């Protein structure tokens, strides 16, 4: 699948992004893919290419663009346990600086850019994400119910917290079909129950499940958390969701 690097105009500057799309003259449904906390890197490009191979235009923004172009921090080829403390020492300030206000401003810009691409069809789009990207996808769907028809979050970040701006407070604004695939240990049983109760109370069409035998980050093949079975389950859930919500197949 062809890929290219793009610059997205935002209220706070230019965000670099990766796009992957089918090599055809047709227009395709758009997918906004939010990366995990480690950011845009080869494994995300591989996943974007895989998804593009199923007929989607996939946009992967560098969510930390305010701190520089991707890769914002240097990463080893494989992120093992011994490297994680030093990496997270550099990543956490970036995560903390990415407030919900910034995330929502960026979502406006990302969706405007995605839907404006000549290769993207006129219908609704999907927002998907990994780790903290799952939270960003849900925030995007709540802020743009008229544009986002599908949401998927895998080993998602803080969807239910005590913060006033916790994503679960805005579930009632989500009209998209939602799938959330959690790793074992991502949430306590009590929090997982609260998540599902909030989705049910808001009337969100959703599935949520804990993928057996997985740890946080299981979709990412460049980390020790990677689970081949978890990644397969991820595709088994994601592709039907997109096909149905974006009127493919």
């Amino acid at each position: 699948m062809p890929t290219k690097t793009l610059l997205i105009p935002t209220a706070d500057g230019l965000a670099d992004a990766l796009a992957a799309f089918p090599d055809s003259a047709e227009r395709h449904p758009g997918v906004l893919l939010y990366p995990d906390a480690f950011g845009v890197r080869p494994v995300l490009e591989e996943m974007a290419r895989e998804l593009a191979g199923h007929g989607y235009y996939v946009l992967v923004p560098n969510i930390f663009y305010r701190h520089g172009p991707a890769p914002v921090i240097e990463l080893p080829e494989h992120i093992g346990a011994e490297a994680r403390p030093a990496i997270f020492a550099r990543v956490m300030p970036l995560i903390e600086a990415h407030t919900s206000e910034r995330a929502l401003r960026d979502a406006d810009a990302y969706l405007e850019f995605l839907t404006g691409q000549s290769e993207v069809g006129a219908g609704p789009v999907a927002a998907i994400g990994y780790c903290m990207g799952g939270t960003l996808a849900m925030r995007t769907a709540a802020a743009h119910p008229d544009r986002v028809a599908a949401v998927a979050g895998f080993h998602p970040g803080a969807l239910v917290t005590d913060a006033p701006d916790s994503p679960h407070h805005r579930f009632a604004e989500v009209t998209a079909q939602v799938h959330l695939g959690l790793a074992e240990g991502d949430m306590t049983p009590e929090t997982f129950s609260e998540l599902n109760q909030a989705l049910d109370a808001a009337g969100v069409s959703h599935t949520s499940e804990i993928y057996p035998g997985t740890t946080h980050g299981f979709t990412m093949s460049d980390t020790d958390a990677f689970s081949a079975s978890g990644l397969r389950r991820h595709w088994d859930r994601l592709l039907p969701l997109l096909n149905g919500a974006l009127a493919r197949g």
Side-chain angles (χ1 to χ4, degrees):
M1 295 297 110
T3 63
K4 59 184 175 182
T5 301
L6 302 167
L7 293 175
I8 304 173
T10 80
D12 297 328
L14 293 173
D16 54 303
L18 168 75
F21 46 91
D23 188 12
S24 72
E26 300 175 7
R27 301 175 76 186
H28 308 280
V31 177
L32 175 59
L33 190 162
Y34 286 109
D36 62 1
F38 296 139
V40 183
R41 58 195 193 282
V43 69
L44 267 299
E45 181 173 348
E46 291 172 14
M47 295 179 80
R49 285 178 181 270
E50 174 77 15
L51 189 50
H54 292 276
Y56 299 97
Y57 182 104
V58 186
L59 182 68
V60 188
N62 169 21
I63 59 176
F64 298 137
Y65 69 89
R66 294 174 180 85
H67 305 273
V72 178
I73 64 171
E74 186 177 349
L75 295 169
E77 187 172 319
H78 184 83
I79 303 170
E82 70 286 347
R84 292 177 75 90
I87 293 171
F88 271 103
R90 299 188 62 190
V91 167
M92 286 308 300
L94 306 183
I95 296 174
E96 291 166 358
H98 199 65
T99 62
S100 58
E101 291 79 11
R102 284 183 168 184
L104 290 174
R105 287 203 303 274
D106 289 346
D108 294 345
Y110 297 158
L111 288 179
E112 189 68 23
F113 185 87
L114 174 61
T115 56
Q117 297 307 293
S118 60
E119 301 93 342
V120 176
V125 303
I128 70 175
Y130 302 85
C131 182
M132 66 177 293
T135 301
L136 296 175
M138 286 295 287
R139 290 194 188 280
T140 299
H144 297 275
D146 56 329
R147 286 185 167 184
V148 180
V151 173
F154 300 95
H155 41 91
L159 291 172
V160 179
T161 73
D162 294 331
D165 63 349
S166 174
H168 78 287
H169 293 313
R170 297 192 63 183
F171 283 173
E173 298 165 55
V174 174
T175 59
Q177 299 177 45
V178 174
H179 174 73
L180 300 173
L182 285 73
E184 294 180 353
D186 269 348
M187 294 182 181
T188 65
E190 293 76 18
T191 302
F192 186 58
S193 177
E194 186 176 354
L195 169 68
N196 285 300
Q197 289 174 15
L199 289 165
D200 289 338
V204 177
S205 175
H206 74 281
T207 57
S208 59
E209 59 182 311
I210 297 171
Y211 289 18
T214 59
T215 59
H216 185 73
F218 62 83
T219 59
M220 299 296 152
S221 61
D222 62 349
T223 75
D224 284 350
F226 177 63
S227 164
S229 62
L231 181 62
R232 286 195 300 271
R233 194 182 189 99
H234 145 280
W235 288 118
D236 289 344
R237 299 297 188 266
L238 176 60
L239 294 174
L241 173 74
L242 299 183
N243 287 342
L246 304 185
R248 290 195 59 83

